[in-house]
Amino acid sequence: KNTHAGVVVEQGAWPTFDGNAIHDGETDGVNIDTSATGTWLRNKICGNKLMGVVITRKANPLMRGNLISANKRSGLQIADYGRGVLEGNEVTDNGEAGISIESCAWPLVQKDNRIHAGKAEGLVVMDSGRGIIRGNRFYSNKGAGIKVGVKLIGKNWEGLQKGMASLGASFRSAKSARSTRSDDEPHPLLIRKNMIYAGVGPGLHVTNDAFPRVERNEFFGNQGPA
């Protein structure tokens, strides 16, 4: 067993981890911190006593095709201005939210992440968290598929555009009179084209003065208030 985090990546490091097993640690499986980046492919991060993966303090990794499961707390926690691009990961059977976005974090969560069979919410956004959540599947979680709570950051569009550009998201100016489509307008939290289904709680729970933009998602088979 690891007595601390199984892997710590920090101070701008940018490794590639492919096909590793990081499991059964006494704390977190992986800590990515202080502007570290790197690429994480096809790893198994399972059974750790705290979080599976923690991304903080402007760290911005690419995580693709990983299995993050059976961790005692959240599968992934993105906090304290952490970023990251999450694509095609399976996040399942974690003790708290599958993915937790908080404390001014702003990840890009896209391209068929499968967040399911968790013991709480599929994804939680709180404490001024923000980001883009698109094209994922949330299902069979015991809490809400997605819960958005605690007041989000205000509408600082210029700052948000610059930040999202670094994640590969681009937005056209809303100044043009013809820019009327919602696709053209930036927003602190965009939830788009996800499938959210078969949950014990509601598909989406929005509370505490939060104001996400919710577009073209499919909600079905959810049981209601948790």
Side-chain angles (χ1 to χ4, degrees):
K1 290 184 177 181
N2 300 304
T3 57
H4 188 54
V7 175
V8 176
V9 180
E10 60 183 355
Q11 302 295 337
W14 49 289
T16 297
F17 280 75
D18 190 345
N20 300 282
I22 303 164
H23 61 90
D24 296 308
E26 294 294 318
T27 61
D28 304 314
V30 175
N31 281 339
I32 307 172
D33 195 5
T34 51
S35 300
T37 57
T39 303
W40 298 74
L41 306 171
R42 297 176 291 269
N43 301 286
K44 295 181 179 180
I45 304 168
C46 306
N48 297 287
K49 288 191 176 180
L50 296 179
M51 313 292 183
V53 178
V54 179
I55 301 170
T56 57
R57 295 194 287 180
K58 298 184 179 180
N60 190 17
L62 170 63
M63 305 201 72
R64 179 180 292 150
N66 301 284
L67 172 63
I68 303 169
S69 71
N71 300 286
K72 297 294 185 184
R73 297 190 63 188
S74 293
L76 294 105
Q77 181 192 54
I78 309 167
D80 298 330
Y81 295 92
R83 299 188 180 185
V85 178
L86 313 181
E87 296 180 346
N89 300 287
E90 184 170 9
V91 183
T92 183
D93 192 32
N94 294 288
E96 297 181 0
I99 300 174
S100 178
I101 301 171
E102 55 192 87
S103 305
C104 300
W106 55 8
L108 175 57
V109 183
Q110 66 172 5
K111 295 185 179 178
D112 201 32
N113 294 285
R114 300 168 307 285
I115 299 96
H116 65 97
K119 295 178 173 61
E121 293 81 9
L123 181 144
V124 169
V125 183
M126 58 184 176
D127 297 335
S128 296
R130 49 193 173 176
I132 295 177
I133 315 299
R134 64 185 177 197
N136 306 287
R137 288 181 278 170
F138 299 87
Y139 58 97
S140 301
N141 294 292
K142 289 188 177 179
I146 298 176
K147 183 175 181 179
V148 183
V150 184
K151 186 177 288 187
L152 291 168
I153 255 177
K155 297 184 178 181
N156 180 357
W157 298 144
E158 182 179 357
L160 182 69
Q161 280 184 283
K162 291 178 180 178
M164 288 305 180
S166 71
L167 300 179
S170 62
F171 300 98
R172 287 191 287 167
S173 172
K175 292 181 180 179
S176 169
R178 294 188 298 174
S179 291
T180 57
R181 299 188 317 165
S182 59
D183 287 6
D184 298 329
E185 300 173 11
H187 200 273
L189 178 62
L190 176 62
I191 300 171
R192 175 184 289 163
K193 290 186 177 180
N194 300 283
M195 293 180 66
I196 304 170
Y197 60 97
V200 173
L204 174 64
H205 183 186
V206 183
T207 185
N208 293 108
D209 296 325
F211 53 96
R213 170 159 280 156
V214 183
E215 298 179 350
R216 290 176 280 172
N217 300 280
E218 187 173 359
F219 301 89
F220 61 95
N222 299 292
Q223 295 183 23

